Amino acid sequence: MKSEMLQKHHIHINQKWCKGCGICVAFCPKKVLVLEKGKAKAENMEDCIACRMCEYRCPDFAIEIEVAK
Amino acid sequence: MKTTEYLREDKLPHIWCPGCGNGIVISNIIRAVDALNLKRENTVIVSGIGCSSRAAGYMNFDTLHTTHGRAIPFATGIKMANPDLNVIVISGDGDATAIGGNHFIHASRRNLDLTLIVVNNNIYGMTSGQYSPLTPTGKIATTAPYGNIDRPFDLCELAEAAGATYVARGSVYHVQQLKRYVERGIQNKGFSVIEALSICPTYFGRKNKMGSPVKMLEGIRDNAVIYNGKNKEEGKDKFLIGEFKNEPDREYTESYQKIIDSLKEGK
Ligand SMILES: Cc1ncc(C[n+]2csc(CCOP(=O)(O)OP(=O)(O)O)c2C)c(N)n1
Ligand code: SF4
Ligand code: SF4
């Protein structure tokens, strides 16, 4: 619940397209993402700064960041 | 902006291997097209044959997936027939510099208004890892099991020397630069070459024991020298990321139109 309240931005991860390469996880400057069962997952979105590097480097078009207004 | 709006979603997920750089290059080409507000009905994507060339099949524009090495000739035909179209060519390092090498230098020489993005993964991915003219010396390939004895082209230097008027190199790590260079390449009225340094974890990576896609991206990050106009030497054993040339010059379809106009007037 805590993280929901603090969450500024949203991440949409298309689980059907994600192939679990781990690029988004490795290069997120805020360590927001993890791999779980071979798929990317956001663990602490409250730290996300919406830099979109995960989206821009995803080889599978599977990530989209929605910036909080 | 949603990348997926520019994709044929019914064709996804794509067939590329986990961590393959092709998708990263495509999504940043799409970002550039979106940033320039190019009309979809006015924009044509042309590709050759190779893993990277399958991009045309996933992109929701008018697209042409042609034959190996011949993307530029097909694109030339499209542009000559209708110079108002934005014509973007996506090609692999093998496609553009081995079988298609002659088309590459002559399109550069003519300065025809095309934007060529070469996805350079240093290898023939689709056919399982033969060396290409961009495979570095010493690297292992199916056809170079003891290490490549060839010396590679520097694609950007080749393009510059052959006469391309916009030349830049980005990478699948340097995605912001890559997007910006594609944008500027499209804006240049002339032949633009953008090398997108990419990764093929399955063949180039595995054969050369380079580890995971993440390790390969770290390799690009750690071996890149950001070009500042005077540090070409520093890039010698590494590689330069940057814009090397932006010198607009007389464009081919315009010269052609001038001839048509002058002959009409002469009647
Ligand atoms: C005329 C012709 N010769 C050879 C081939 C076999 N072939 C298919 S793709 C390819 C090379 C692909 O390498 P590259 O262009 O670097 O693209 P990548 O797959 O690495 O993205 C070759 C030799 C072909 N399809 N057509
Ligand atoms: S937008 Fe930036 S900070 Fe947020 S999850 Fe993606 S890479 Fe991490
Ligand atoms: S073989 Fe290489 S270039 Fe082809 S899809 Fe796999 S990783 Fe990408």
Side-chain angles (χ1 to χ4, degrees):
Chain A
M1 261 349 292
K2 179 175 153 266
S3 70
E4 291 246 317
M5 276 158 63
L6 290 171
Q7 188 168 309
K8 291 172 289 185
H9 311 295
H10 282 278
I11 188 166
H12 301 277
I13 301 176
N14 184 337
Q15 299 281 326
K16 285 201 197 106
W17 294 357
C18 174
K19 293 176 185 158
C21 68
I23 288 175
C24 57
V25 176
F27 297 104
C28 168
K30 292 297 186 182
K31 301 272 167 269
V32 170
L33 305 161
V34 293
L35 272 189
E36 197 178 270
K37 296 193 185 121
K39 303 276 177 181
K41 190 190 147 194
E43 193 149 82
N44 31 15
M45 267 314 272
E46 63 274 17
D47 289 344
C48 172
I49 53 170
C51 67
R52 292 184 189 263
M53 294 318 290
C54 53
E55 180 179 320
Y56 298 163
R57 291 205 187 97
C58 174
D60 292 278
F61 318 114
I63 299 183
E64 197 191 306
I65 295 291
E66 198 186 314
V67 181
K69 300 224 168 68
Chain B
M1 171 246 166
K2 276 188 175 186
T3 311
T4 45
E5 282 170 13
Y6 293 86
L7 294 168
R8 293 176 180 145
E9 289 195 54
D10 57 322
K11 299 277 191 295
L12 294 166
H14 56 57
I15 57 147
W16 294 318
C17 308
C20 171
N22 290 336
I24 308 178
V25 178
I26 302 324
S27 86
N28 287 285
I29 294 174
I30 287 174
R31 290 209 292 133
V33 166
D34 182 77
L36 293 173
N37 277 320
L38 296 191
K39 285 212 189 83
R40 194 183 306 231
E41 56 274 22
N42 237 19
T43 305
V44 185
I45 310 282
V46 186
S47 69
I49 293 291
C51 291
S52 43
S53 286
R54 294 192 74 121
Y58 298 119
M59 298 171 77
N60 198 6
F61 296 82
D62 285 332
T63 59
L64 207 58
H65 190 181
T66 70
T67 55
H68 192 36
R70 313 296 174 216
I72 290 174
F74 281 91
T76 301
I78 294 168
K79 188 71 188 180
M80 292 301 288
N82 186 354
D84 292 335
L85 295 174
N86 308 302
V87 184
I88 299 174
V89 185
I90 302 175
S91 183
D93 45 312
D95 200 61
T97 68
I99 189 167
N102 239 27
H103 303 303
F104 176 86
I105 55 172
H106 292 292
S108 296
R109 177 176 61 80
R110 284 170 158 169
N111 196 33
L112 179 72
D113 183 22
L114 305 174
T115 305
L116 170 71
I117 295 112
V118 179
V119 184
N120 177 13
N121 57 10
N122 302 116
I123 202 94
Y124 288 7
M126 179 167 267
T127 45
S128 65
Q130 296 79 7
Y131 65 81
S132 88
L134 300 190
T135 304
T137 309
K139 291 293 181 190
I140 307 290
T142 323
T143 43
Y146 308 108
N148 182 22
I149 59 170
D150 279 20
R151 296 181 306 157
F153 281 135
D154 179 319
L155 185 83
C156 291
E157 285 185 359
L158 179 64
E160 276 188 68
T165 45
Y166 181 90
V167 181
R169 181 185 292 121
S171 85
V172 292
Y173 179 81
H174 304 86
V175 282
Q176 299 287 60
Q177 288 96 325
L178 179 59
K179 178 220 166 204
R180 192 158 64 237
Y181 301 155
V182 173
E183 249 183 273
R184 293 200 189 137
I186 294 170
Q187 282 172 317
N188 172 43
K189 187 135 185 60
F191 194 66
S192 303
V193 177
I194 296 98
E195 178 179 352
L197 266 184
S198 187
I199 57 171
C200 168
T202 301
Y203 290 109
F204 193 69
R206 220 187 267 167
K207 282 193 188 303
N208 288 288
K209 301 195 170 34
M210 297 168 89
S212 65
V214 167
K215 280 265 167 331
M216 292 184 80
L217 273 200
E218 285 169 355
I220 292 184
R221 179 193 64 195
D222 298 342
N223 285 294
V225 173
I226 305 299
Y227 181 57
N228 62 13
K230 41 187 185 286
N231 59 347
K232 270 209 169 147
E233 280 302 300
E234 269 179 66
K236 260 199 157 169
D237 298 318
K238 298 190 160 189
F239 47 78
L240 296 167
I241 294 292
E243 219 170 37
F244 306 112
K245 188 172 175 186
N246 191 356
E247 293 170 18
D249 201 353
R250 193 169 52 169
E251 193 273 328
Y252 198 74
T253 58
E254 283 180 356
S255 304
Y256 191 68
Q257 190 58 45
K258 273 194 193 131
I259 301 252
I260 295 173
D261 293 344
S262 72
L263 290 175
K264 272 186 186 158
E265 278 162 22
K267 256 188 197 166

